[in-house]
């Protein structure tokens, strides 16, 4: 697609639903269709048809078509528009289709244009800004046969109200009759000089010119006597070798089919998945990270001191050799005096409670990490035809919210059943109701474990927002928090119906889980960078933030996997550098930083100790090392007289 394109919707299709021209689906002739309509009906009519990207099915994933427009306006189904706006758009659709009616008589492009005018249902008429747009064109539901009568009945319920014709549009040369019959000039173009030369070239060289008719009254000459002549057989006699090319073609075709049926050879490879080897590699990296953390904690515990206020204070320790390379002397051994290793303090080894972590907020003030996350994370509610779904999102601007593509468009396996989203709402604890949201951009879900992002504009929002971590430097073993609204937590909520009601202020309590980053792993065929962590996530967390101790989003919670061997569940978040690439591809720039996280921890108030009372006159202070009773636990004694 050389022109600028903007995603509209995606459709799972059955290949038997696709009309074809010359054995190729009509949707694969988009450029020819656009050129023909521009020439015969004008560019406005050509712009009616959305541009398709057709992906064939492969046995595991169904065939699908992603539809794109060439204008960045908001796209929505015509059924979502009412009143004068709808009447105006329908009038525009009638005007553009009427121009296409004359184009149906073109002997060369008529069947292609006619096939494109077949759509699956009237729900395939969309609106782009204030212009009509047609998706799912070049299709006929499999339950409708290809007969003219069945197609006419189906057309009357789809585009028929906007293009009133008595018969269904043509889909083949055989249909180019009646009202679609080409004009005489179009049907029999004048012969060109080249065609005359070709015609003369195929004549028999020795054939004599036709004899002049004998004069009237003269009897015709007797027929010539047949003479046997040695030479090639007459042209009409079939050759014994006439079947040889066909037999060779069948043998080649059979050989190709045999090769394709061999195990491991497919014409369309299955949808890619993370391999078992990758899962094992991730699990081993997790185990190494856990062993490293165990060693750190053990070393810290050896020198830990319990303070009077109950806090366990750890000594500052140098990093392990895996984190910083030690300098060596000439013998190749580490020189202790020259190691210059970075120090890890106690707050890094055993993280403080999140409410003690202070994060700079708007206006120069600070707030604790829990409140910081809750103020910037939201519940996303999506309404489909006959059903609703939910997920999580987080603000990256005052009215810009990020979530997963599969939250707003539905999982790929269910998109055909769900259809396009009818409405999207965003709820926060402060919004008081569901705020309508507009889908600005999505990354699509063309490959498994690839980019899975959606950008929404929340109308009426003025929310604080997260900064993004913009570096691929390792953040292994850093503490993170996953925030979101897992569906299982409010599935049995008494107010569940109100939660899904946009007019209700009811919002479930946000769920937060803590963990550590175990690995940064490139996954899938596109080598998408993901963060593997131990903060539990589940269905409903999708699209939510993974936040470090400085209040920065380091990943977008997206999916989980269970290792078939160890039964261990792995939590995956798409790295924020992937998110930033997605945003910048659409012209959106979010606040980001590449600085290393140095959490600001509120100091623990010192323990107040009572001042020792002065000893009465005549009494001496106990000597150093001499035992004395504990005033808090020992019973008082009576003074002797």
């Amino acid at each position: 697609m050389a022109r600028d394109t903007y995603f509209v919707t995606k459709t799972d299709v059955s290949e038997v639903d696709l009309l074809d021209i010359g054995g190729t689906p009509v949707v694969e002739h988009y450029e020819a269709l656009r050129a023909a309509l521009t020439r015969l009906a004008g560019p406005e009519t050509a712009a009616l048809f959305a541009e398709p990207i057709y992906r064939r099915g492969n046995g595991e994933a169904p065939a699908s078509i992603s539809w794109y427009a060439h204008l960045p306006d908001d796209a929505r189904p015509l059924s979502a528009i009412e009143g004068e706006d709808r009447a105006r758009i329908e009038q525009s659709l009638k005007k553009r289709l009427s121009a296409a009616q004359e184009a149906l008589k073109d002997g060369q492009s008529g069947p292609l244009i006619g096939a494109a005018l077949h759509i699956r249902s009237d729900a395939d008429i969309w609106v782009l800004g204030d212009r009509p747009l047609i998706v799912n064109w070049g299709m006929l539901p499999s339950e409708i046969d290809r007969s003219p009568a069945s197609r006419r009945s189906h057309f009357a319920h789809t585009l028929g109200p906007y293009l009133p014709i008595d018969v269904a549009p043509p889909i083949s040369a055989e249909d180019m009759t009646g009202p679609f019959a080409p004009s005489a000039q179009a049907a029999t173009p004048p012969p060109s000089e080249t065609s005359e030369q070709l015609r003369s070239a195929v004549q028999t060289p020795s054939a004599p010119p036709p004899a002049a008719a004998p004069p009237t009254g003269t009897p015709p000459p007797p027929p010539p006597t047949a003479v046997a002549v040695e030479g090639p057989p007459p042209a009409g006699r079939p050759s014994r070798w006439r079947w040889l090319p066909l037999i060779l073609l069948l043998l080649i075709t059979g050989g190709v089919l045999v090769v394709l049926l061999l195990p491991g050879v497919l014409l369309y490879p299955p949808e890619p998945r993370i391999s078992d080897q990758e899962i094992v590699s991730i699990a081993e990296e997790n185990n190494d990270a856990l062993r490293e953390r165990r060693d750190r904690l053990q070393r810290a515990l050896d020198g830990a001191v319990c303070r009077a206020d109950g806090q366990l204070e750890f000594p500052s320790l140098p990093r392990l050799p895996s984190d910083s390379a030690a300098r060596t002397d000439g013998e190749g051994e580490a020189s202790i005096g020259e190691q210059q290793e970075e120090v890890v303090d106690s707050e890094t080894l055993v993280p403080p409670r999140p409410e003690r972590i202070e994060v700079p907020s708007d206006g120069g003030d600070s707030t604790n990490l829990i409140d910081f996350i809750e103020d910037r994370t939201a519940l996303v509610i999506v309404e489909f035809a006959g059903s609703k779904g939910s997920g999580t999102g987080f603000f990256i601007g005052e009215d810009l919210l990020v979530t997963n593509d599969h939250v707003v468009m539905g999982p790929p396996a269910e998109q055909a059943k769900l259809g396009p989203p009818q409405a999207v709402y965003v709820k926060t604890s402060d919004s008081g109701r569901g705020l309508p949201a507009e889908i600005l951009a999505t990354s699509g879900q063309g490959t498994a474990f690839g980019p899975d992002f959606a950008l929404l504009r929340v109308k009426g929002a003025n929310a604080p927002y997260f900064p993004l971590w913009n570096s691929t430097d390792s953040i292994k073993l850093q503490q993170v928090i996953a925030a979101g609204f897992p569906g299982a937590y409010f599935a049995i909520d008494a107010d569940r119906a109100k939660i899904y009601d946009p007019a209700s202020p009811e919002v479930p309590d946000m769920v937060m889980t803590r963990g550590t980053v175990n690995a940064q792993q490139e996954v899938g065929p596109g080598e998408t960078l993901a963060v593997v962590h131990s903060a539990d996530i589940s269905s409903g967390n999708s699209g939510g933030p993974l936040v470090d101790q400085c209040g920065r989003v380091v990943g977008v919670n997206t999916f989980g996997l269970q290792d078939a061997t160890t039964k261990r569940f792995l939590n995956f978040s798409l790295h924020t550098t992937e998110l930033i690439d997605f945003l910048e591809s659409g012209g959106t720039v979010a606040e980001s930083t590449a600085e290393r996280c140095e959490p600001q921890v509120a100091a623990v108030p010192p323990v107040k100790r009572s001042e020792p009372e002065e000893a009465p006159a005549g009494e001496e202070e106990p000597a150093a090392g001499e035992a004395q009773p504990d005033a808090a636990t020992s019973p008082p004694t009576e003074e002797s007289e």
Side-chain angles (χ1 to χ4, degrees):
M1 294 184 291
R3 297 173 294 272
D4 290 338
T5 55
Y6 303 89
F7 178 76
V8 176
T9 187
K10 181 181 176 182
T11 310
D12 287 342
V13 297
S14 172
E15 295 185 5
V16 297
D17 294 346
L18 303 178
L19 296 176
D20 64 84
I21 293 291
T24 305
V26 173
V27 292
E28 294 190 344
H29 293 277
Y30 172 75
E31 294 298 339
L33 173 67
R34 185 179 179 90
L37 285 173
T38 301
R39 174 173 55 88
L40 299 170
E44 293 294 320
T45 301
L48 270 178
F49 296 87
E51 182 168 357
I53 296 296
Y54 175 43
R55 296 182 177 88
R56 299 177 182 270
N58 56 29
E60 292 187 9
S64 66
I65 302 177
S66 297
W67 300 95
Y68 293 84
H70 298 141
L71 293 173
D73 293 325
D74 179 29
R76 58 202 185 281
L78 178 63
S79 58
I81 302 175
E82 299 177 351
E84 295 181 357
D85 291 340
R86 176 162 182 160
R88 185 175 64 256
I89 293 169
E90 288 180 334
Q91 186 62 32
S92 174
L93 179 60
K94 290 179 181 178
K95 179 180 178 181
R96 300 182 188 202
L97 287 178
S98 65
Q101 185 172 357
E102 286 300 315
L104 292 173
K105 299 179 182 180
D106 183 75
Q108 181 180 0
S109 302
L112 174 61
I113 297 172
L117 289 173
H118 290 75
I119 60 178
R120 295 206 306 184
S121 72
D122 57 356
D124 297 327
I125 304 173
W126 281 51
V127 179
L128 185 69
D130 58 353
R131 298 164 173 256
L133 184 72
I134 298 174
V135 301
N136 292 332
W137 51 263
M139 300 187 198
L140 200 63
S142 56
E143 61 268 17
I144 298 175
D145 60 56
R146 302 298 198 262
S147 67
S150 297
R151 291 191 291 108
R152 179 179 60 187
S153 175
H154 180 72
F155 183 78
H157 292 87
T158 54
L159 290 178
Y162 311 102
L163 180 60
I165 53 179
D166 296 331
V167 295
I171 61 175
S172 65
E174 289 76 12
D175 295 332
M176 299 296 291
T177 59
F180 309 120
S183 62
Q185 290 182 348
T188 57
S192 63
E193 180 181 355
T194 303
S195 61
E196 291 293 343
Q197 293 173 351
L198 290 174
R199 203 174 284 116
S200 63
V202 298
Q203 294 179 350
T204 306
S206 61
T216 306
T218 304
T225 304
V227 179
V229 179
E230 293 293 334
R237 182 188 301 175
S239 169
R240 71 180 66 179
W241 305 107
R242 68 188 184 279
W243 299 109
L244 182 59
L246 179 60
I247 294 173
L248 291 176
L249 180 61
L250 291 175
L251 290 175
I252 294 172
T253 304
V256 172
L257 291 175
V258 169
V259 172
L260 292 178
L261 291 175
L262 293 176
V265 179
L266 290 175
L267 183 58
Y268 303 108
E271 192 75 13
R273 294 286 187 266
I274 293 183
S275 65
D276 292 341
Q277 183 178 359
E278 286 182 291
I279 294 178
V280 170
S281 174
I282 294 171
E284 289 176 349
E285 202 165 343
N286 286 344
N287 292 338
D288 291 341
L290 291 174
R291 293 188 191 98
E292 185 173 337
R293 179 163 174 76
R294 177 201 63 193
D295 294 341
R296 289 187 182 189
L297 292 175
Q298 183 60 55
R299 293 198 303 160
L301 189 61
D302 292 341
V305 176
C306 185
R307 299 184 347 185
D309 62 352
Q311 288 285 330
L312 192 62
E313 185 173 325
F314 293 93
S316 295
L317 296 175
R319 290 189 180 275
L320 295 178
S322 60
D323 280 344
S324 61
R327 297 171 59 185
T328 60
D329 57 21
E331 300 298 325
E333 298 180 356
S335 177
I336 302 299
E338 299 179 355
Q339 283 186 355
Q340 303 295 327
E341 292 178 328
E342 191 174 359
V343 171
V344 180
D345 63 18
S346 60
E347 300 289 10
T348 304
L349 288 168
V350 178
R353 294 188 300 271
E355 60 268 22
R356 286 185 54 207
I357 299 176
E358 296 180 343
V359 183
S361 186
D362 299 334
D365 298 331
S366 295
T367 184
N368 69 69
L369 184 58
I370 292 179
D371 292 341
F372 185 88
I373 295 174
E374 287 189 337
D375 291 343
R376 291 157 175 79
T377 308
L379 173 67
V380 179
I381 300 171
V382 186
E383 293 184 355
F384 298 95
S387 64
K388 293 183 179 181
S390 67
T392 307
F394 58 93
F395 284 94
I396 61 165
E398 293 179 351
D399 61 349
L400 295 178
L401 182 129
V402 166
T403 186
N404 282 141
D405 179 285
H406 75 260
V407 170
V408 295
M409 304 304 295
E414 300 179 19
Q415 286 180 359
K417 179 179 69 175
L418 293 173
Q422 305 295 312
V424 181
Y425 297 95
V426 171
K427 276 188 172 185
T428 67
S429 56
D430 297 330
S431 62
R433 60 183 177 86
L435 300 176
E438 171 191 4
I439 302 175
L440 297 181
T442 62
S443 63
Q445 304 164 57
T447 57
F449 307 119
D452 187 354
F453 303 116
L455 178 64
L456 312 182
R457 186 180 300 281
V458 185
K459 299 176 182 178
N462 186 20
Y465 48 88
F466 284 104
L468 305 180
W469 167 243
N470 189 10
S471 173
T472 56
D473 291 347
S474 175
I475 53 173
K476 188 187 297 185
L477 289 182
Q478 284 196 19
Q479 298 295 315
V480 287
I481 294 177
F485 299 91
Y489 280 80
F490 59 90
I492 57 175
D493 195 303
D495 295 323
R496 185 168 185 262
K498 294 181 180 179
I499 291 173
Y500 283 106
D501 182 4
S504 170
E506 191 69 29
V507 181
D509 191 25
M510 186 183 303
V511 176
M512 295 187 184
T513 55
R514 295 180 68 180
T516 57
V517 174
N518 302 126
Q520 291 181 185
Q521 188 84 10
E522 292 181 342
V523 298
E527 297 184 348
T528 303
L529 187 59
V531 178
V532 189
H533 58 90
S534 60
D536 291 336
I537 60 174
S538 59
S539 178
N541 273 110
S542 293
L546 185 71
V547 186
D548 67 8
Q549 290 186 296
C550 292
R552 307 171 307 186
V553 177
V554 299
V556 182
N557 295 320
T558 303
F559 64 92
L561 285 177
Q562 187 174 35
D563 183 4
T565 303
T566 65
K567 305 302 181 184
R568 182 178 179 184
F569 194 81
L570 304 173
N571 306 290
F572 287 81
S573 300
L574 298 183
H575 200 284
T576 40
T577 54
E578 300 282 355
L579 170 61
I580 291 171
D581 289 344
F582 162 72
L583 294 173
E584 292 182 349
S585 68
T588 299
V589 179
E591 179 184 340
S592 64
T593 179
E595 294 182 2
R596 180 181 170 187
C597 178
E598 297 289 348
Q600 304 299 314
V601 183
V604 177
V607 178
K608 294 183 178 180
R609 303 180 182 233
S610 58
E611 294 293 334
E613 298 181 359
E614 294 184 3
E619 294 188 10
E620 297 181 356
E621 293 285 340
E626 182 180 345
Q628 57 178 332
D630 188 336
T633 57
S634 301
T637 57
E638 295 183 0
E639 293 184 1
S640 57
E641 295 182 356

Short mmCIF file of all heavy atoms in Angstrom, two decimals, residues 203-229:
data_model
loop_
_atom_site.label_atom_id
_atom_site.label_comp_id
_atom_site.label_asym_id
_atom_site.label_seq_id
_atom_site.Cartn_x
_atom_site.Cartn_y
_atom_site.Cartn_z
N GLN A 203 -3.43 -18.18 -42.12
CA GLN A 203 -3.99 -18.79 -43.31
C GLN A 203 -2.97 -19.74 -43.94
O GLN A 203 -1.77 -19.54 -43.84
CB GLN A 203 -4.41 -17.72 -44.33
CG GLN A 203 -5.57 -16.84 -43.84
CD GLN A 203 -5.92 -15.77 -44.87
OE1 GLN A 203 -5.16 -15.58 -45.83
NE2 GLN A 203 -7.04 -15.09 -44.67
N THR A 204 -3.47 -20.79 -44.66
CA THR A 204 -2.59 -21.76 -45.33
C THR A 204 -1.91 -21.09 -46.51
O THR A 204 -2.57 -20.50 -47.36
CB THR A 204 -3.41 -22.96 -45.83
OG1 THR A 204 -4.13 -23.48 -44.71
CG2 THR A 204 -2.52 -24.02 -46.44
N PRO A 205 -0.56 -21.12 -46.58
CA PRO A 205 0.14 -20.39 -47.64
C PRO A 205 -0.25 -20.84 -49.04
O PRO A 205 -0.28 -20.05 -49.96
CB PRO A 205 1.61 -20.66 -47.35
CG PRO A 205 1.65 -21.06 -45.90
CD PRO A 205 0.37 -21.74 -45.65
N SER A 206 -0.50 -22.13 -49.21
CA SER A 206 -0.75 -22.66 -50.56
C SER A 206 -2.20 -22.56 -50.97
O SER A 206 -2.57 -22.97 -52.06
CB SER A 206 -0.30 -24.12 -50.64
OG SER A 206 -1.04 -24.88 -49.69
N ALA A 207 -3.07 -22.04 -50.10
CA ALA A 207 -4.49 -21.99 -50.45
C ALA A 207 -4.69 -20.99 -51.57
O ALA A 207 -4.27 -19.84 -51.46
CB ALA A 207 -5.31 -21.59 -49.23
N PRO A 208 -5.31 -21.39 -52.66
CA PRO A 208 -5.52 -20.46 -53.78
C PRO A 208 -6.60 -19.47 -53.44
O PRO A 208 -7.43 -19.70 -52.57
CB PRO A 208 -5.93 -21.39 -54.92
CG PRO A 208 -6.59 -22.54 -54.23
CD PRO A 208 -5.85 -22.73 -52.95
N PRO A 209 -6.59 -18.31 -54.10
CA PRO A 209 -7.66 -17.34 -53.87
C PRO A 209 -8.99 -17.90 -54.34
O PRO A 209 -9.04 -18.76 -55.21
CB PRO A 209 -7.22 -16.13 -54.70
CG PRO A 209 -6.33 -16.69 -55.75
CD PRO A 209 -5.64 -17.86 -55.13
N PRO A 210 -10.09 -17.44 -53.74
CA PRO A 210 -11.39 -17.98 -54.16
C PRO A 210 -11.66 -17.67 -55.63
O PRO A 210 -11.36 -16.59 -56.11
CB PRO A 210 -12.35 -17.26 -53.22
CG PRO A 210 -11.63 -16.05 -52.75
CD PRO A 210 -10.19 -16.43 -52.73
N ALA A 211 -12.21 -18.69 -56.33
CA ALA A 211 -12.52 -18.53 -57.76
C ALA A 211 -13.70 -17.62 -57.96
O ALA A 211 -14.60 -17.56 -57.12
CB ALA A 211 -12.78 -19.89 -58.39
N ALA A 212 -13.70 -16.91 -59.07
CA ALA A 212 -14.82 -16.03 -59.37
C ALA A 212 -16.04 -16.86 -59.72
O ALA A 212 -15.96 -17.96 -60.26
CB ALA A 212 -14.46 -15.11 -60.55
N ALA A 213 -17.19 -16.34 -59.36
CA ALA A 213 -18.44 -17.06 -59.65
C ALA A 213 -18.63 -17.19 -61.17
O ALA A 213 -18.37 -16.23 -61.91
CB ALA A 213 -19.62 -16.32 -59.04
N PRO A 214 -19.04 -18.38 -61.68
CA PRO A 214 -19.24 -18.54 -63.13
C PRO A 214 -20.41 -17.69 -63.60
O PRO A 214 -21.30 -17.37 -62.82
CB PRO A 214 -19.51 -20.03 -63.28
CG PRO A 214 -20.08 -20.44 -61.95
CD PRO A 214 -19.40 -19.57 -60.96
N PRO A 215 -20.38 -17.26 -64.88
CA PRO A 215 -21.50 -16.47 -65.40
C PRO A 215 -22.79 -17.26 -65.38
O PRO A 215 -22.81 -18.48 -65.37
CB PRO A 215 -21.07 -16.13 -66.83
CG PRO A 215 -19.84 -16.91 -67.11
CD PRO A 215 -19.35 -17.53 -65.87
N THR A 216 -23.87 -16.54 -65.31
CA THR A 216 -25.19 -17.17 -65.24
C THR A 216 -25.44 -18.00 -66.49
O THR A 216 -25.17 -17.57 -67.62
CB THR A 216 -26.28 -16.09 -65.12
OG1 THR A 216 -25.95 -15.26 -64.02
CG2 THR A 216 -27.64 -16.69 -64.92
N GLY A 217 -25.95 -19.21 -66.28
CA GLY A 217 -26.25 -20.10 -67.40
C GLY A 217 -25.14 -21.05 -67.73
O GLY A 217 -25.33 -21.99 -68.49
N THR A 218 -23.97 -20.84 -67.19
CA THR A 218 -22.83 -21.73 -67.48
C THR A 218 -22.83 -22.84 -66.45
O THR A 218 -22.87 -22.58 -65.24
CB THR A 218 -21.51 -20.97 -67.41
OG1 THR A 218 -21.56 -19.86 -68.30
CG2 THR A 218 -20.34 -21.88 -67.75
N PRO A 219 -22.80 -24.09 -66.86
CA PRO A 219 -22.80 -25.20 -65.88
C PRO A 219 -21.51 -25.21 -65.09
O PRO A 219 -20.46 -24.83 -65.59
CB PRO A 219 -22.94 -26.44 -66.75
CG PRO A 219 -22.40 -26.05 -68.08
CD PRO A 219 -22.76 -24.60 -68.26
N PRO A 220 -21.57 -25.61 -63.83
CA PRO A 220 -20.36 -25.64 -62.99
C PRO A 220 -19.39 -26.67 -63.50
O PRO A 220 -19.78 -27.70 -64.06
CB PRO A 220 -20.90 -26.01 -61.61
CG PRO A 220 -22.17 -26.73 -61.88
CD PRO A 220 -22.76 -26.11 -63.12
N PRO A 221 -18.10 -26.46 -63.31
CA PRO A 221 -17.10 -27.44 -63.77
C PRO A 221 -17.19 -28.69 -62.93
O PRO A 221 -17.63 -28.67 -61.77
CB PRO A 221 -15.77 -26.71 -63.54
CG PRO A 221 -16.04 -25.74 -62.47
CD PRO A 221 -17.47 -25.31 -62.67
N PRO A 222 -16.79 -29.84 -63.50
CA PRO A 222 -16.84 -31.09 -62.72
C PRO A 222 -15.85 -31.06 -61.57
O PRO A 222 -14.85 -30.35 -61.62
CB PRO A 222 -16.45 -32.15 -63.77
CG PRO A 222 -15.64 -31.40 -64.77
CD PRO A 222 -16.23 -30.04 -64.86
N PRO A 223 -16.15 -31.80 -60.52
CA PRO A 223 -15.25 -31.82 -59.36
C PRO A 223 -13.92 -32.42 -59.73
O PRO A 223 -13.85 -33.32 -60.57
CB PRO A 223 -15.98 -32.68 -58.34
CG PRO A 223 -16.90 -33.53 -59.14
CD PRO A 223 -17.32 -32.71 -60.32
N PRO A 224 -12.82 -31.96 -59.10
CA PRO A 224 -11.50 -32.50 -59.43
C PRO A 224 -11.36 -33.93 -58.93
O PRO A 224 -11.98 -34.32 -57.95
CB PRO A 224 -10.54 -31.56 -58.70
CG PRO A 224 -11.34 -31.00 -57.58
CD PRO A 224 -12.75 -30.90 -58.09
N THR A 225 -10.53 -34.69 -59.64
CA THR A 225 -10.28 -36.08 -59.26
C THR A 225 -9.34 -36.12 -58.08
O THR A 225 -8.31 -35.43 -58.06
CB THR A 225 -9.68 -36.85 -60.44
OG1 THR A 225 -10.55 -36.73 -61.56
CG2 THR A 225 -9.46 -38.31 -60.09
N ALA A 226 -9.71 -36.92 -57.06
CA ALA A 226 -8.87 -37.01 -55.86
C ALA A 226 -7.58 -37.72 -56.19
O ALA A 226 -7.57 -38.76 -56.85
CB ALA A 226 -9.61 -37.75 -54.76
N VAL A 227 -6.46 -37.17 -55.75
CA VAL A 227 -5.15 -37.76 -55.98
C VAL A 227 -4.48 -37.95 -54.63
O VAL A 227 -4.42 -37.02 -53.81
CB VAL A 227 -4.28 -36.85 -56.88
CG1 VAL A 227 -2.91 -37.48 -57.08
CG2 VAL A 227 -4.97 -36.61 -58.21
N ALA A 228 -3.99 -39.17 -54.36
CA ALA A 228 -3.30 -39.44 -53.09
C ALA A 228 -1.95 -38.76 -53.08
O ALA A 228 -1.18 -38.91 -54.02
CB ALA A 228 -3.14 -40.94 -52.90
N VAL A 229 -1.70 -37.98 -52.06
CA VAL A 229 -0.45 -37.24 -51.93
C VAL A 229 0.20 -37.61 -50.60
O VAL A 229 -0.45 -37.60 -49.56
CB VAL A 229 -0.69 -35.72 -52.00
CG1 VAL A 229 0.63 -34.98 -51.84
CG2 VAL A 229 -1.36 -35.35 -53.30
#
